[in-house]
């Protein structure tokens, strides 16, 4: 591009120089031709006047001498146009000359001229005719002619001189043209290099062009545009950064589809919903990425109606999710660049909480209604007359008292669980001896274990350090676990309490292992939910509220620990309590 532009400018200079030289040559040749022709005409006319002063007979006898002295051809013509004498040609071979333009003009005006090609001499000649008069009128004509070859020779000499002059002047002229071309092209090259750098994304620096002409004004305009461009790019980067930060911090999943229906971009929220990296779904269709026919139908409905669509979708996968998806257009884009925005709000937890709330209300209602029904029924029976039978009344009152105690335990457990979940339980964490904790809890379950002839064993591995716990809550946790172990272990079974240290993670682990009925593997993940029982009939028969393990789970979490359950159906269950080391 550089060479082509430079050569074009240089050739333009050379063309202008050559064109000027050609115009000068044409004008000069024309002017020289006119001057030379005029001089020849005036000379011939002057010579013709001098010759006409002599008698025709004298002219005829001395015509060659006159022609030699005049340096021209001399022709004597009579009044009728006949040639009387000619200095070059035999008159017998010449025709009548009355119709010659110069003779006709001389007959009318006294003198005439003409430039034409001579049919006799085969050459371009200038003819001048002069009418010779006497008393009776025109006596004849004296015609002088001269070849115009010398005019052409003068023009050719002028051309030779001009060519030599142009030849001598061409080299310095070309050097000047080269210098001026380089001077003109230098700012153009700087502008080109600067704009190419901008095209590559390099916006640093400023265009410096030392010129006050249009190129300098162009450079100032480019600098102004680049500065505006820098500000807009900076603003765009800032806005993009804000948008990316907002999208990254959003819990909701965001997906943008291009005009072809392919996933163009997404945020981190969608990764947690799909449990896949964003790069794995980019470039795919919605159906390929989400594998959901319901979502595809919602998208097709949006494309038909071109109205925002809000729909609840169930997504299958490793962890099935329920999401509210909002599908809408992205506004403000150029024509032909339609993009679609899908915003996914994961409502799985809300749905679970709603289900838990529903189950909780149903379970609480059922748990309260059962003892209340018994209490009301026995009271009504007593009021109806059974009170008079002391033995029956005593039996009914014991049943009423047992159901009242069951209601009281249920209310106490609900209040405890609610207090823990609302963080209203103030734990007084302190170093606590494991031996002291065990000695405090074991007597509380020994009587119930003795009734079922269940052996209670304690195995402590080495010197176990203390735990960081609230004394009363730690007692409550261990007692609930031991109570469940005794309750669900058949007669003559065994409940063993292990204590060990997990030095790798600074845990002190209390394990309660029983030889009870065990728990099916599919039910283990749900243990710790409110009112969840593996065997509801047996649990109610044994007086359980279904809240014991839920309280244990939440209390362990409040201590910064955890509860783990392992079980083999028909062989027994192991509950592990992880306390922080003191």
């Amino acid at each position: 591009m550089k060479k082509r532009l430079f050569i074009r400018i240089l050739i333009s200079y050379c063309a202008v120089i050559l064109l000027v030289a050609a115009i000068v040559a044409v004008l000069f040749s024309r002017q020289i031709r006119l001057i030379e022709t005029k001089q020849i005409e005036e000379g011939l006319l002057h010579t013709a006047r001098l010759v006409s002063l002599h008698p025709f007979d004298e002219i005829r006898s001395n015509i060659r001498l006159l022609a030699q002295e005049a340096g021209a051809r001399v022709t004597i013509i009579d009044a009728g146009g006949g040639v009387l004498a000619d200095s070059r040609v035999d008159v017998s071979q010449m025709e009548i000359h009355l119709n010659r333009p110069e003779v006709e003009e001389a007959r009318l005006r006294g003198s005439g001229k003409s430039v034409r090609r001579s049919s006799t001499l085969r050459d371009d000649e200038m003819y001048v005719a002069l009418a010779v008069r006497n008393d009776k009128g025109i006596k004849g004509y004296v015609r002088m002619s001269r070849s115009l070859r010398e005019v052409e020779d003068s023009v050719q000499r002028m051309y030779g001189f001009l060519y030599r002059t142009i030849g001598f002047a061409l080299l310095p002229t070309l050097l000047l043209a080269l210098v001026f071309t380089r001077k003109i092209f230098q700012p153009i090259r700087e502008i080109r290099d600067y704009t190419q750098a901008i095209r590559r994304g390099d916006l640093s620096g400023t265009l410096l062009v030392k010129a006050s002409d249009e190129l300098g004004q162009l450079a100032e305009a480019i600098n102004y545009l680049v500065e505006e461009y820098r500000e807009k790019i900076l603003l765009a980067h800032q806005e993009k950064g804000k948008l990316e930060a907002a999208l990254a911090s959003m819990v909701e999943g965001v997906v943008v589809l291009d005009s072809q229906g392919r996933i163009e971009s997404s945020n981190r929220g969608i990764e947690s919903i799909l449990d896949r990296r964003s790069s794995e779904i980019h470039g795919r269709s919605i159906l390929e990425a989400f594998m959901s026919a319901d979502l595809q139908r919602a998208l097709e409905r949006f494309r038909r109606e071109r109205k925002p669509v809000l729909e609840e979708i169930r997504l299958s996968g490793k962890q099935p999710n329920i999401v509210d998806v909002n599908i809408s257009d992205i506004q403000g884009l150029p024509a032909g660049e339609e993009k679609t925005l899908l915003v996914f709000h994961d409502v799985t937890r809300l749905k679970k909480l709603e289900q838990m709330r529903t189950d909780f209300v149903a379970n609480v209602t059922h748990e309260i209604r059962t003892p209340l029904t018994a209490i009301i029924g026995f009271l009504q029976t007593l009021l109806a007359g059974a009170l008079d039978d002391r033995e029956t009344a005593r039996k009914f009152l014991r049943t009423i008292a047992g159901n009242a105690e069951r209601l009281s335990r249920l209310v106490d457990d609900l209040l405890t669980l609610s207090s823990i979940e609302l963080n209203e339980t103030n734990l007084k964490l302190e170093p606590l001896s494991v031996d002291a904790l065990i000695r405090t809890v074991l007597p509380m379950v020994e009587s119930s274990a003795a009734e079922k002839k269940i052996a209670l064993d304690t195995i402590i591995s080495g010197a176990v350090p203390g735990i960081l716990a609230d004394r009363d809550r730690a007692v409550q946790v261990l007692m609930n676990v031991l109570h469940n172990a005794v309750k669900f272990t058949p007669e003559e079974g065994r409940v063993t309490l292990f204590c060990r240290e997990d030095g790798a993670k600074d845990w002190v682990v209390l394990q309660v292992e029983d030889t009870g009925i065990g728990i099916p593997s599919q039910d283990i993940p749900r243990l710790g939910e409110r009112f969840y029982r593996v065997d509801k009939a047996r649990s109610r028969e044994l007086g359980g509220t279904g809240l014991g393990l839920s309280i244990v789970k939440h209390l362990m979490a409040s201590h910064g620990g955890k509860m783990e359950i392992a079980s083999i159906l028909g062989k027994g269950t192991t509950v592990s309590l992880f306390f922080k080391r003191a």
Side-chain angles (χ1 to χ4, degrees):
M1 176 253 183
K2 170 186 174 182
K3 291 184 178 179
R4 282 185 292 176
L5 180 59
F6 182 82
I7 291 173
R8 282 204 301 269
I9 296 176
L10 184 60
I11 289 175
S12 299
Y13 273 115
C14 295
V16 169
I17 294 171
L18 294 176
L19 180 61
V20 170
I23 293 174
V24 170
V26 170
L27 293 178
F28 265 77
S29 63
R30 183 178 179 185
Q31 191 66 24
I32 290 173
R33 187 176 280 108
L34 289 175
I35 293 172
E36 290 288 333
T37 303
K38 188 66 174 175
Q39 289 178 351
I40 292 173
E41 177 189 345
E42 292 178 351
L44 290 175
L45 190 58
H46 178 70
T47 303
R49 288 195 180 98
L50 292 177
V51 171
S52 67
L53 296 177
H54 296 78
F56 274 9
D57 293 338
E58 186 180 344
I59 296 174
R60 288 173 63 185
S61 60
N62 298 310
I63 192 169
R64 292 186 183 278
L65 180 61
L66 291 173
Q68 186 178 1
E69 292 178 355
R73 177 186 175 187
V74 180
T75 305
I76 304 299
I77 304 170
D78 60 17
V83 179
L84 299 176
D86 190 274
S87 62
R88 292 185 186 178
V89 183
D90 186 3
V91 295
S92 62
Q93 298 177 0
M94 300 178 68
E95 60 186 8
I96 302 298
H97 278 43
L98 190 62
N99 59 348
R100 295 292 193 267
E102 66 276 4
V103 176
E104 290 184 353
E105 187 179 356
R107 181 171 57 84
L108 297 174
R109 301 176 59 182
S111 63
K113 65 178 181 176
S114 174
V115 177
R116 69 179 185 277
R117 188 171 183 81
S118 172
S119 59
T120 304
L121 300 176
R122 309 294 181 182
D123 196 8
D124 290 337
E125 301 230 353
M126 161 92 50
Y127 294 92
V128 174
L130 186 66
V132 179
R133 297 177 182 273
N134 55 19
D135 296 339
K136 296 179 180 180
I138 295 177
K139 176 183 176 181
Y141 304 91
V142 176
R143 189 183 73 171
M144 307 288 291
S145 65
R146 188 173 175 181
S147 175
L148 295 180
R149 186 178 300 277
E150 58 188 79
V151 176
E152 294 301 324
D153 292 341
S154 298
V155 172
Q156 292 302 323
R157 286 194 300 272
M158 184 275 299
Y159 275 134
F161 174 76
L162 185 61
Y163 291 153
R164 289 192 297 272
T165 303
I166 291 175
F168 286 124
L170 188 59
L171 181 59
T173 304
L174 289 177
L175 290 176
L176 288 175
L178 180 62
V179 171
F180 279 114
T181 302
R182 292 179 64 86
K183 185 176 181 180
I184 291 176
F185 186 76
Q186 181 63 28
I188 296 176
R189 183 173 58 187
E190 293 176 359
I191 293 173
R192 181 205 62 187
D193 295 341
Y194 187 68
T195 53
Q196 286 181 347
I198 294 173
R199 186 179 179 182
R200 293 192 300 267
D202 182 9
L203 297 177
S204 61
T206 303
L207 180 59
L208 299 176
V209 175
K210 297 178 181 180
S212 57
D213 54 7
E214 287 80 0
L215 289 176
Q217 296 173 2
L218 176 61
E220 291 180 2
I222 291 175
N223 286 330
Y224 175 78
L225 292 176
V226 169
E227 186 62 31
E228 291 288 321
Y229 189 42
R230 286 196 193 106
E231 293 179 0
K232 289 182 179 180
I233 288 179
L234 179 61
L235 181 61
H237 284 168
Q238 291 175 348
E239 295 299 324
K240 182 182 179 182
K242 293 177 183 178
L243 180 60
E244 289 177 348
L247 289 176
S249 62
M250 285 177 62
V251 178
E252 291 80 5
V254 178
V255 170
V256 177
L257 302 181
D258 59 18
S259 56
Q260 303 299 321
R262 298 283 176 178
I263 296 176
E264 183 178 274
S265 61
S266 59
N267 70 337
R268 293 180 183 175
I270 206 67
E271 294 181 355
S272 61
I273 292 176
L274 291 180
D275 196 21
R276 297 169 65 185
R277 297 175 62 182
S278 295
S279 58
E280 297 178 12
I281 64 173
H282 287 180
R284 298 178 179 269
S285 66
I286 282 294
L287 187 59
E288 292 172 338
F290 289 83
M291 303 296 291
S292 172
D294 293 337
L295 181 58
Q296 181 66 26
R297 282 193 290 269
L299 181 61
E300 291 173 354
R301 180 156 63 89
F302 164 75
R303 288 171 177 168
R304 286 195 308 270
E305 300 176 358
R306 307 310 299 179
K307 294 180 180 179
V309 172
L310 178 61
E311 194 162 328
E312 184 178 290
I313 303 293
R314 183 178 294 273
L315 300 177
S316 58
K318 297 179 182 178
Q319 296 181 350
N321 292 328
I322 302 173
V323 296
D324 285 339
V325 57
N326 193 331
I327 308 176
S328 61
D329 269 328
I330 297 181
Q331 304 295 327
L333 295 177
E337 294 187 12
E338 296 180 355
K339 294 186 180 182
T340 307
L341 179 67
L342 291 85
V343 180
F344 297 84
H345 181 62
D346 192 348
V347 295
T348 306
R349 184 170 177 273
L350 294 177
K351 291 293 181 180
K352 288 183 179 179
L353 291 175
E354 180 65 22
Q355 185 62 41
M356 290 176 61
R357 185 190 65 81
T358 303
D359 294 343
F360 175 75
V361 172
N363 288 326
V364 167
T365 303
H366 182 77
E367 294 294 335
I368 293 177
R369 183 176 59 188
T370 301
L372 276 180
T373 301
I375 291 172
I376 293 172
F378 283 111
L379 285 175
Q380 288 177 345
T381 303
L382 289 173
L383 292 174
L387 189 61
D388 297 334
D389 186 348
R390 294 181 62 84
E391 193 63 31
T392 301
R394 186 181 298 275
K395 180 180 177 180
F396 284 2
L397 288 174
R398 282 198 297 269
T399 303
I400 290 172
N403 282 282
E405 290 177 0
R406 182 178 175 184
L407 277 176
S408 177
R409 288 197 303 272
L410 177 63
V411 172
D412 289 343
D413 287 346
L414 285 174
L415 290 175
T416 300
L417 189 58
S418 176
S419 176
I420 295 171
E421 290 181 342
L422 294 175
N423 293 323
E424 293 179 354
T425 301
N426 296 320
L427 298 179
K428 185 181 179 182
L429 299 179
E430 59 182 349
L432 183 64
S433 170
V434 175
D435 289 336
L437 176 63
I438 294 173
R439 287 196 302 270
T440 302
V441 175
L442 281 181
M444 299 180 184
V445 295
E446 283 178 347
S447 60
S448 58
E451 290 178 5
K452 299 177 67 176
K453 300 178 182 180
I454 294 175
L456 282 175
D457 297 329
T458 301
I459 300 176
I460 299 177
S461 301
V464 178
I467 60 174
L468 189 64
D470 182 284
R471 180 181 299 275
D472 295 336
R473 295 304 181 183
V475 169
Q476 184 180 4
V477 165
L478 187 56
M479 186 185 66
N480 276 347
V481 174
L482 285 171
H483 179 72
N484 276 348
V486 171
K487 183 168 59 176
F488 292 103
T489 298
E491 291 186 358
E492 298 184 358
R494 180 178 296 276
V495 174
T496 306
L497 175 60
F498 296 91
C499 182
R500 61 181 175 84
E501 180 184 6
D502 186 353
K505 297 184 178 180
D506 288 337
W507 293 117
V508 175
V509 185
L510 297 178
Q511 284 183 329
V512 177
E513 182 180 305
D514 62 51
T515 58
I517 59 178
I519 303 169
S521 58
Q522 66 270 17
D523 292 318
I524 291 178
R526 297 197 62 185
L527 294 177
E529 293 182 10
R530 300 173 182 176
F531 298 109
Y532 184 78
R533 299 181 179 93
V534 176
D535 187 345
K536 296 179 174 60
R538 180 178 174 85
S539 181
R540 289 196 183 96
E541 180 183 342
L542 296 173
T545 63
L547 297 175
L549 285 181
S550 183
I551 292 174
V552 171
K553 176 182 176 182
H554 284 81
L555 281 176
M556 290 303 298
S558 298
H559 278 81
K562 60 182 178 178
M563 175 186 73
E564 292 182 356
I565 300 175
S567 181
I568 299 176
L569 190 62
K571 291 187 177 182
T573 302
T574 301
V575 179
S576 301
L577 303 174
F578 292 79
F579 287 94
K580 285 185 176 182
R581 179 178 176 177

